[in-house]
Amino acid sequence: MSDIRDELEIKPVTIEHLEQFNDLLSYVFQVTAKEVEESGYEEGELERAKRPVLEKSDVIGWFHGDDLVSQLAIYPCVVNIHGQKYQMAGLTGVGTYPEYAGHGLMHDLISVGLNHMREHKQWISYLYPYSIPFYRKKGWEIMSDHLTFEVKDTQLPRHENIVGHVERLEIDDPDVIQTYNRFAEVNHGAMIRNQLNWDEYWRWENEEERIAAVYYDEDDVPQGFILYWIANEVFHIKEMVYTTQEARVGLWNFIAAHFSMVDVVRGNIYKNEPLHFLLDDGDIKQTIQPYFMARIVDVREFLKAYPFAEVGKPFHFIVSDPMADWNQGTFGVWWDENDQVQITDRPVGEAVTVDIQTLTTMMMSYRRPSYLAKIERLTASKAALKNLEAIIPMDEPYFSDYF
């Protein structure tokens, strides 16, 4: 009996396949016409809106004749990793029609995709997982959290006197963009957004219902914002961004000023930083769930660019990778006389044995080396762990985008 794969071909998905690209996405993720309409799109507008993504991304698919049956898109982005900008490959648009499932099509597409990322010097990849176990098997691991909270009107913080003020603006006002840019430059994990990234940020949101409240300090410099809307006596916060604690206080003053208008405030935090500790009445409802996953595409190149917190003692990783053979093996890490990190294939210093998933979540500072050793996700001596704890920066990732 012949394998259906014999009738299939891997090739690029181009703009001429836009309708098939969207049809496959809509089928796999069960996006209905009603949901599209509720997001503020008129008939045909979503397809046109997705066109720039397809034009900018590298999409690879399996074709059965002229029919697209399985696909993935590599969305080129830039992210801040501990102050160092990396080209990041956003994996998105992943899907296969059910009648073609079970033939290893996606495994092969991901393999081709990883080679493509490496060729384009995208040393790390992010994705939003529809199945965490599936992507873990392919080398991705959790790197950020999404917290949601609910604060009753009676729990809102008391007004604090500060010197700045808040203005309500359009969500695409230059001061909103500028403030986010400065925030992303100093927050590990964050997307360095271009216009296409902003378009994707709002893709499934009805922008007309959203408002930006921007906090300005005494010198009229924007230092933070919230993107919000009010409906049915609920104050909804899509995102709160601030570069100073004064801005945080100022934005909560603004929210609390709605005391007589709303019953509760519901919002999102894209970092494992629970809100309750910052409130006088911390007995609030909070939930936490994994958000994005990440994967180091090329260990050698990722480590060469990585901004270690300090000069450490020489050591070497022994890495296993289920998909990328170039990541299999030994990666020695040492510092030269100018304190510049050097990567070698020699086993220098202490050994740290780790798989690509664990290496990624550790270098992204989502979980610390000692914890990963405790749960037996890596093997290392106490001296090696102490060294890793010192050289890997502490900041946890912040990532609020979606693609």
Side-chain angles (χ1 to χ4, degrees):
M1 185 175 177
S2 63
D3 189 337
I4 196 171
R5 289 166 59 98
D6 297 338
E7 304 172 22
L8 305 181
E9 176 189 9
I10 287 183
K11 62 182 182 180
V13 179
T14 63
I15 203 68
E16 67 185 271
H17 305 112
L18 177 61
E19 186 175 351
Q20 290 196 64
F21 173 80
N22 285 320
D23 286 347
L24 179 49
L25 280 184
S26 296
Y27 186 89
V28 170
F29 296 104
Q30 290 297 293
V31 179
T32 66
K34 183 170 184 267
E35 288 171 318
V36 170
E37 183 181 339
E38 288 174 350
S39 296
Y41 292 100
E42 297 178 2
E43 186 176 353
E45 188 179 6
L46 179 60
E47 285 77 4
R48 291 192 296 274
K50 273 291 186 184
R51 184 185 182 100
V53 178
L54 190 55
E55 289 175 338
K56 295 286 186 182
S57 299
D58 294 302
V59 187
I60 309 161
W62 279 101
F63 285 81
H64 193 177
D66 293 329
D67 297 331
L68 177 63
V69 301
S70 181
Q71 69 184 19
L72 63 76
I74 300 169
Y75 183 45
C77 306
V78 177
V79 292
N80 169 5
I81 296 181
H82 295 302
Q84 174 71 42
K85 290 181 183 175
Y86 278 76
Q87 298 296 317
M88 184 272 283
L91 195 63
T92 185
V94 177
T96 302
Y97 281 119
E99 60 268 35
Y100 292 91
H103 295 279
L105 302 187
M106 192 51 63
H107 179 91
D108 289 353
L109 284 181
I110 289 175
S111 180
V112 171
L114 286 169
N115 276 280
H116 181 280
M117 295 172 194
R118 191 180 184 214
E119 289 169 4
H120 287 75
K121 300 183 178 181
Q122 296 165 317
W123 311 136
I124 190 161
S125 171
Y126 287 12
L127 61 79
Y128 179 79
Y130 69 82
S131 167
I132 289 175
F134 175 83
Y135 285 111
R136 273 183 167 154
K137 290 177 183 176
K138 307 303 180 187
W140 277 261
E141 187 52 274
I142 300 165
M143 56 75 69
S144 74
D145 292 326
H146 176 205
L147 280 76
T148 58
F149 62 85
E150 183 172 298
V151 179
K152 299 174 185 175
D153 55 353
T154 54
Q155 296 173 307
L156 288 169
R158 299 190 201 92
H159 180 88
E160 292 186 41
N161 291 324
I162 48 175
V163 292
H165 67 282
V166 171
E167 292 184 20
R168 288 182 296 116
L169 301 170
E170 298 292 324
I171 58 173
D172 59 353
D173 188 274
D175 280 355
V176 174
I177 308 301
Q178 175 198 339
T179 305
Y180 176 81
N181 289 344
R182 288 191 290 111
F183 172 85
E185 291 282 347
V186 296
N187 275 269
H188 161 56
M191 178 91 85
I192 308 298
R193 288 182 194 151
N194 57 28
Q195 186 55 53
L196 187 58
N197 299 143
W198 276 107
D199 292 342
E200 281 298 284
Y201 179 82
W202 291 110
R203 178 72 62 209
W204 297 104
E205 303 272 1
N206 192 331
E207 298 176 46
E208 294 177 1
E209 297 178 357
R210 306 295 184 264
I211 308 168
V214 179
Y215 178 82
Y216 295 85
D217 64 19
E218 62 180 332
D219 297 318
D220 266 346
V221 177
Q223 300 288 5
F225 63 77
I226 52 173
L227 303 173
Y228 74 99
W229 75 102
I230 300 172
N232 301 320
E233 299 185 326
V234 178
F235 192 108
H236 297 270
I237 300 174
K238 177 173 172 62
E239 184 172 17
M240 178 185 289
V241 161
Y242 48 86
T243 57
T244 66
Q245 292 303 304
E246 176 192 304
R248 177 180 65 81
V249 172
L251 292 170
W252 274 105
N253 279 351
F254 175 79
I255 296 166
H258 293 78
F259 176 85
S260 62
M261 297 170 55
V262 301
D263 292 330
V264 295
V265 175
R266 292 184 187 140
N268 302 303
I269 298 174
Y270 294 93
K271 190 174 186 177
N272 192 352
E273 189 177 68
L275 176 64
H276 65 271
F277 191 71
L278 299 173
L279 299 176
D280 290 335
D281 183 352
D283 186 16
I284 64 172
K285 181 180 178 182
Q286 295 180 102
T287 60
I288 181 170
Q289 64 186 106
Y291 189 48
F292 260 64
M293 299 180 82
R295 183 202 212 285
I296 295 173
V297 173
D298 188 304
V299 171
R300 178 180 300 276
E301 297 299 332
F302 180 86
L303 292 175
K304 281 169 64 177
Y306 190 79
F308 289 96
E310 59 180 68
V311 174
K313 296 177 181 178
F315 69 99
H316 64 280
F317 288 118
I318 302 171
V319 182
S320 58
D321 189 322
M323 296 289 294
D325 57 8
W326 57 85
N327 288 336
Q328 290 272 139
T330 299
F331 299 88
V333 182
W334 60 282
W335 285 260
D336 63 21
E337 63 275 8
N338 297 316
D339 293 341
Q340 297 298 306
V341 72
Q342 302 294 324
I343 310 300
T344 176
D345 56 7
R346 293 183 293 107
V348 297
E350 296 269 0
V352 178
T353 303
V354 68
D355 59 31
I356 193 69
Q357 301 93 317
T358 305
L359 179 63
T360 299
T361 200
M362 178 173 68
M363 302 309 286
M364 289 297 292
S365 299
Y366 180 75
R367 290 292 180 262
R368 299 303 297 173
S370 296
Y371 173 77
L372 294 167
K374 181 179 178 180
I375 63 171
E376 300 181 348
R377 287 283 298 267
L378 65 79
T379 303
S381 68
K382 288 184 178 180
L385 287 175
K386 185 176 180 181
N387 189 39
L388 287 174
E389 289 286 357
I391 65 176
I392 296 175
M394 294 290 291
D395 290 337
E396 293 182 359
Y398 178 100
F399 191 76
S400 58
D401 286 68
Y402 178 82
F403 49 76

